[in-house]
């Protein structure tokens, strides 16, 4: 157990629907990062939050949004889902907001859009 | 533009052999970070190492070592005396934080270590 918890582990939904993925960071970590891994796009960084504030933005689509709550857990909301959104979504956490810290990854949420 | 190239799609070695995974990057920025991640067959991602552009010191961690050379824009990863448990996909990544933020992954190298 890495200490980073992602739920659910698997999710199957239909096109056009909306889903929420959840990530609880390791205890003491203030940053949460979201990544997408798909066959077409490979690994992509989506977004980082630090202590509730958006810190860095990557290739996140406008249909996607994220937030980090006061208890530091984060949610990634994916809406108007398309077949191409099928992917493994990882979150990671780290202690600080810069890139001078190690990262701990969750086991991922596998999203299948049918 | 920023780019990360892992030209080796797949490498197979026999256990106890040494193996080097190549990572070549492109960036015009002077400040950036380079990372290596491991993704074993179980699917989880594991952070291995981070290096910033001002620190060209090579690093060794057990059987793992990393060679960062700015002159050739490379950040290569060597596994000494490979083991079956090293079988995984290894990703190199570049993060540029000045100006427009960019976080780019290579396409990964699949390493198979045969017993």
């Amino acid at each position: 157990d890495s200490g980073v918890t992602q739920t659910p582990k698997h999710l199957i939904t239909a096109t056009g629907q909306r889903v929420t993925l959840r990530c609880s960071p390791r205890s003491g970590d203030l940053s949460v990062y979201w990544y997408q891994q798909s066959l077409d796009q490979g690994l992509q960084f989506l977004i980082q939050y630090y202590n509730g504030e958006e810190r860095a933005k990557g290739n996140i689509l406008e249909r996607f949004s994220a937030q980090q709550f006061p208890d530091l857990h984060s949610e990634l909301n994916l809406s108007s889902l398309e077949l191409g959104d099928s992917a493994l979504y990882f979150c990671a956490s780290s202690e600080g907001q810069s890139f001078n810290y190690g990262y701990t990854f969750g086991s991922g949420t596998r999203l299948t859009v049918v | 533009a920023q780019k990360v190239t892992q030209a080796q799609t797949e490498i197979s070695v026999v256990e106890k052999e040494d193996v080097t995974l190549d990572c070549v990057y492109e960036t015009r920025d002077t400040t950036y970070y380079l990372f290596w991640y491991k993704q074993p067959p179980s699917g989880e991602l594991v952070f291995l190492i981070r290096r910033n552009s001002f620190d060209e010191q090579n690093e060794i961690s057990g059987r793992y070592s990393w060679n960062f050379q700015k002159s050739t824009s490379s950040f290569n990863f060597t596994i000494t005396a490979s083991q079956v448990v090293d079988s995984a996909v290894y990703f190199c990544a570049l993060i540029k934080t000045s100006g427009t933020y960019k976080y780019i992954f290579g396409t990964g190298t699949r390493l198979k270590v045969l017993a």
Side-chain angles (χ1 to χ4, degrees):
Chain A
D1 182 6
S2 67
V4 177
T5 304
Q6 286 190 250
T7 57
K9 291 196 183 306
H10 302 275
L11 197 49
I12 301 175
T13 190
T15 54
Q17 295 298 304
R18 172 189 170 97
V19 297
T20 297
L21 311 184
R22 182 187 170 107
C23 172
S24 294
R26 196 180 57 161
S27 178
D29 286 354
L30 299 178
S31 273
V32 171
Y33 307 77
W34 286 98
Y35 302 83
Q36 179 197 59
Q37 185 175 30
S38 66
L39 287 176
D40 291 342
Q41 304 287 333
L43 259 174
Q44 294 192 96
F45 165 72
L46 298 179
I47 199 163
Q48 176 199 358
Y49 276 82
Y50 173 77
N51 205 21
E53 300 290 327
E54 183 183 304
R55 174 70 178 86
K57 197 175 238 186
N59 300 329
I60 188 166
L61 300 173
E62 285 192 9
R63 299 184 286 109
F64 296 0
S65 65
Q67 54 183 326
Q68 186 179 28
F69 294 86
D71 68 351
L72 301 176
H73 91 270
S74 178
E75 292 181 357
L76 179 66
N77 300 296
L78 316 176
S79 62
S80 302
L81 285 168
E82 302 174 0
L83 295 178
D85 298 327
S86 295
L88 194 50
Y89 291 85
F90 288 103
C91 84
S93 71
S94 70
E95 183 182 335
Q97 62 173 322
S98 73
F99 293 99
N100 286 318
Y101 297 87
Y103 299 83
T104 305
F105 284 85
S107 56
T109 293
R110 182 168 295 280
L111 172 66
T112 303
V113 182
V114 297
Chain B
Q2 287 70 42
K3 188 176 179 181
V4 175
T5 301
Q6 294 181 258
Q8 303 152 309
T9 305
E10 185 168 314
I11 301 175
S12 290
V13 299
V14 176
E15 207 171 18
K16 298 184 184 176
E17 284 186 2
D18 299 346
V19 58
T20 295
L21 310 183
D22 298 333
C23 174
V24 175
Y25 62 92
E26 293 178 26
T27 181
R28 292 183 179 180
D29 290 82
T30 56
T31 304
Y32 51 89
Y33 296 83
L34 295 165
F35 290 75
W36 275 96
Y37 298 94
K38 174 182 179 180
Q39 188 172 38
S42 53
E44 76 273 18
L45 277 170
V46 179
F47 162 76
L48 294 178
I49 191 172
R50 168 205 59 253
R51 180 62 81 225
N52 72 54
S53 53
F54 298 108
D55 182 4
E56 282 193 78
Q57 195 169 24
N58 293 328
E59 183 156 337
I60 298 174
S61 176
R63 297 183 295 106
Y64 294 174
S65 62
W66 290 269
N67 184 304
F68 177 27
Q69 292 197 330
K70 289 176 75 170
S71 60
T72 56
S73 297
S74 65
F75 187 41
N76 295 337
F77 173 30
T78 297
I79 302 175
T80 302
S82 60
Q83 299 177 1
V84 172
V85 292
D86 297 325
S87 297
V89 180
Y90 291 87
F91 294 94
C92 180
L94 165 73
I95 298 177
K96 175 187 92 73
T97 57
S98 60
T100 306
Y101 182 92
K102 289 288 184 185
Y103 191 150
I104 300 159
F105 283 91
T107 51
T109 296
R110 182 178 299 278
L111 173 65
K112 291 184 178 179
V113 181
L114 308 172

